[in-house]
Amino acid sequence: MAQSNPILVAYAFRDGAHSFRTDDPRTGEIAVAHGVPEIAYEQVTRTLTERVSGTLGRTAQARPALPFKEFWTWLQMNPIAAMPNAPCHVEFAWEIRG
């Protein structure tokens, strides 16, 4: 069952890397950055899953509310979000199941 309060993860493109950050009581602070956006997106999902499972003491699965392909399409259609070091801060939700 998905939790009703998703974890919000902020995205920014900085210094040539796709950066994702969150600081949620269920996960603590998480920061992931990678030059390949799909890898960063997958790393966020994997890290959220590990952290939430540890906090809950049982298996849980983090899932982005927006699949990577849709995220990438959004990014391509919003060029200011993809500009290096642009002051863009967008939050995406990850649902927790388990």
Side-chain angles (χ1 to χ4, degrees):
M1 171 182 278
Q3 289 186 359
S4 60
N5 295 324
I7 294 174
L8 298 180
V9 179
Y11 167 80
F13 187 70
R14 293 194 179 98
D15 301 323
H18 299 271
S19 173
F20 294 90
R21 300 181 74 78
T22 190
D23 191 2
D24 186 280
R26 295 165 286 179
T27 63
E29 187 175 346
I30 294 173
V32 172
H34 199 281
V36 178
E38 189 169 16
I39 291 173
Y41 211 71
E42 290 171 4
Q43 286 177 341
V44 169
T45 302
R46 190 169 41 254
T47 302
L48 286 171
T49 295
E50 291 168 1
R51 293 277 185 94
V52 172
S53 291
T55 301
L56 294 176
R58 60 181 160 80
T59 302
Q61 178 64 47
R63 295 177 190 245
L66 190 63
F68 175 77
K69 188 173 181 177
E70 290 179 30
F71 162 76
W72 189 247
T73 298
W74 173 87
L75 188 66
Q76 298 303 307
M77 296 186 77
N78 294 279
I80 195 163
M83 290 176 57
N85 303 313
C88 177
H89 178 90
V90 179
E91 289 185 338
F92 292 95
W94 261 255
E95 296 177 345
I96 304 301
R97 298 183 182 276

